[in-house]
Amino acid sequence: MTSAANNPASPPASAKLRLKKCRVGVLISGAGSNMRALVASSHQVNSPYEIACVASNKADAGGIVWAHENGITTKVINHKDFSTHEAFDAALNDYLQSQNLDLIACAGFMRIMTSQLITPWQGRMLNIHPSLLPLYKGLHTHARAIAAGDKESGCSVHWVTAALDDGPVIAQARVPILKGDTPDTLAVRVLVEEHKLYSAVLAQVSRDL
Ligand code: GAR
């Protein structure tokens, strides 16, 4: 009889061996540049995750069109078809549950989520936010950082909890605010860092799962 303990071909019991890739569902509302970065990263050799599906609350979101054209499983659930936030979130959760997912990555998903969506995925749902949290939760983060005279801005990947942009931060990337920066010029430089940070964090979280 052989076992992992005495078979030299087997990894030591302490080594993590992930035979299956983590199945990640991505939630978007817009252009989906972060989602595209995650897809590109998932195609790298040895990526520990795959993008199983992309869902959007907007049918005309650039990202959902791109995902569909690139053969990714997509779903549009229009929030305007529901009379309450809770009903929309319940429908989205039903879809996500049907996809046999390990993790959810919110990537420019511009909806305030209720417990209908957050509770079932607590500890398995990440978000990327364009500020150095806990600074500037919510919208217009770059304009607020510039108006405050901050020397730097950046982005944060954090776990999603019930309070908006408030869950534990997993990792951040910093970007200097340059003289003459506008919210748009700053956003472009932060977005470059978002793409790198989100891919790296999702890979690490997938390996640790
Ligand atoms: C990104 O900057 C992301 O951090 C932000 O929306 C943008 C989406 O861009 N998310 C939030 O503000 C969430 N609070 P993308 O659609 O090109 O990835």
Side-chain angles (χ1 to χ4, degrees):
M1 179 178 147
T2 58
S3 73
N6 61 15
N7 181 351
S10 301
S14 60
K16 283 202 168 180
L17 184 62
R18 173 166 282 281
L19 299 173
K20 237 175 109 261
K21 288 181 187 258
C22 250
R23 286 176 58 81
V24 178
V26 185
L27 302 184
I28 63 168
S29 298
S33 72
N34 276 289
M35 175 272 295
R36 296 180 207 200
L38 296 181
V39 169
S41 158
S42 77
H43 290 155
Q44 285 175 7
V45 182
N46 294 332
S47 168
Y49 67 85
E50 62 185 328
I51 303 303
C53 62
V54 178
S56 170
N57 61 309
K58 293 187 173 181
D60 60 354
I64 203 75
V65 174
W66 180 89
H68 177 69
E69 288 173 356
N70 281 271
I72 298 168
T73 300
T74 57
K75 181 75 174 176
V76 174
I77 301 179
N78 187 342
H79 61 278
K80 291 183 181 163
D81 292 342
F82 299 84
S83 55
T84 64
H85 270 62
E86 285 78 6
F88 167 75
D89 283 359
L92 182 52
N93 179 50
D94 284 349
Y95 171 71
L96 296 171
Q97 297 292 347
S98 77
Q99 296 304 300
N100 189 25
L101 303 172
D102 300 300
L103 290 168
I104 306 289
C106 300
F109 182 57
M110 305 308 275
R111 299 283 305 166
I112 292 181
M113 293 181 272
T114 68
S115 60
Q116 296 290 323
L117 185 54
I118 294 173
T119 303
W121 296 100
Q122 186 104 34
R124 290 188 296 152
M125 181 184 272
L126 303 101
N127 182 44
I128 187 152
H129 184 73
S131 79
L132 296 172
L133 291 172
L135 292 175
Y136 312 125
K137 297 169 183 174
L139 299 175
H140 311 301
T141 56
H142 301 308
R144 288 154 70 199
I146 291 169
D150 293 353
K151 295 276 179 287
E152 61 177 5
S153 183
C155 52
S156 308
V157 177
H158 66 96
W159 293 107
V160 173
T161 57
L164 180 69
D165 299 329
D166 196 51
V169 170
I170 304 168
Q172 295 182 315
R174 293 174 180 272
V175 172
I177 297 178
L178 306 179
K179 199 163 174 285
D181 253 341
T182 65
D184 285 347
T185 60
L186 180 56
V188 168
R189 295 204 312 283
V190 171
L191 208 49
V192 171
E193 298 306 316
E194 290 188 40
H195 298 163
K196 292 188 263 184
L197 183 72
Y198 214 177
S199 304
V201 170
L202 192 55
Q204 190 57 55
V205 167
S206 299
R207 282 190 199 99
D208 290 348
L209 209 64

